[in-house]
Every structure is written in structure tokens, then in C-alpha cells.
Amino acid sequence: QVQLVESGGGLVQAGGSLRLSCVASGITFSSYAMAWFRQAPGKEREFVAGIIWSGRTTRYADSVKGRFTISRDNAKNTVYLQMNNLKPEDTAVYCCAADSRRALLSANVAAYEYWGQGTQVTVSS
């Protein structure tokens, strides 16, 4: 059974930082590209950041470039999202996702086979 479990969300003031974690089980983690998506109330799910299996290539949404950093530890089956200089518009449920095309970084929701339940991030102004 595949599980992706996120943690690290919470309430933070604008300008603050959070680090999200996603632990995977039931898959060969190093065979998957991983990504973070987010969904705010009333909006569609959107791509935030992605990282290929080796960690050597990453991709970011324009809205988070320079503020967020995605990384992974294959020995711990974990992908991280370091979020700095948070803004109220970053408020959303953040989910991690896994794509077996391990060397590709798609921003398309449909490309990802497995999803976590998500963790809430709320940024107050």
C-alpha cells in the first residue's frame, strides 16, 4: 500500500518560514520524481515545485521562485519543501505527489500517480 504523509504545516506570520516534509512508503522512492502542489479555497490545485529522482534537477512555479526550495533524501524516503518569506497568498493545503517518470518534472496534476492527504499552511498578514 502506497502512502505519502505530509507534515510541517501550520500558522505563520507573513515573512516567516516553514519546512514541509513528505514521507513515502510502499514505493521505491528513488524511482520517482516528487512534487509539491497546493490548493487554496475556491481555486484549482497548482504546481509549486518538483524534483527528479536524483535531486539534481528541480522546477518551481514562478510565484515561489527564490522563496521556496525543494529537496529530497532518498535514504529517508522523504521530500522537503523549505518555504521562506511566506506571503498570505501562499495560504493553501499543500500536498506531495509521486510520478514514476522519475526524470521528468511535470506541472500537470494528471501526471502524478500517488498523492498525500495534504497539510494546511496559513499565512497571516
Side-chain angles (χ1 to χ4, degrees):
Q1 181 183 359
V2 178
Q3 281 193 312
L4 302 179
V5 180
E6 301 94 338
S7 62
L11 173 64
V12 64
Q13 287 188 333
S17 298
L18 285 173
R19 188 173 87 149
L20 306 183
S21 299
C22 169
V23 180
S25 60
I27 59 173
T28 302
F29 185 70
S30 60
S31 295
Y32 285 76
M34 299 297 295
W36 288 94
F37 286 76
R38 66 187 182 186
Q39 187 166 19
K43 294 188 177 181
E44 292 187 353
R45 187 170 292 186
E46 65 172 353
F47 174 83
V48 175
I51 187 167
I52 66 168
W53 69 278
S54 64
R56 290 185 177 181
T57 303
T58 57
R59 177 182 178 181
Y60 296 93
D62 287 344
S63 59
V64 306
K65 278 181 183 176
R67 300 189 297 123
F68 290 11
T69 303
I70 189 170
S71 61
R72 65 189 295 160
D73 185 338
N74 287 344
K76 295 182 178 180
N77 289 359
T78 302
V79 60
Y80 304 97
L81 186 67
Q82 177 66 44
M83 306 185 295
N84 298 329
N85 190 21
L86 282 160
K87 304 176 180 180
E89 52 263 43
D90 294 319
T91 295
V93 174
Y94 285 70
C95 297
C96 63
D99 181 356
S100 59
R101 302 171 306 162
R102 67 177 190 170
L104 298 180
L105 289 175
S106 174
N108 188 344
V109 169
Y112 292 83
E113 294 125 278
Y114 302 110
W115 292 83
Q117 292 296 310
T119 185
Q120 176 71 45
V121 171
T122 303
V123 185
S124 63
S125 57

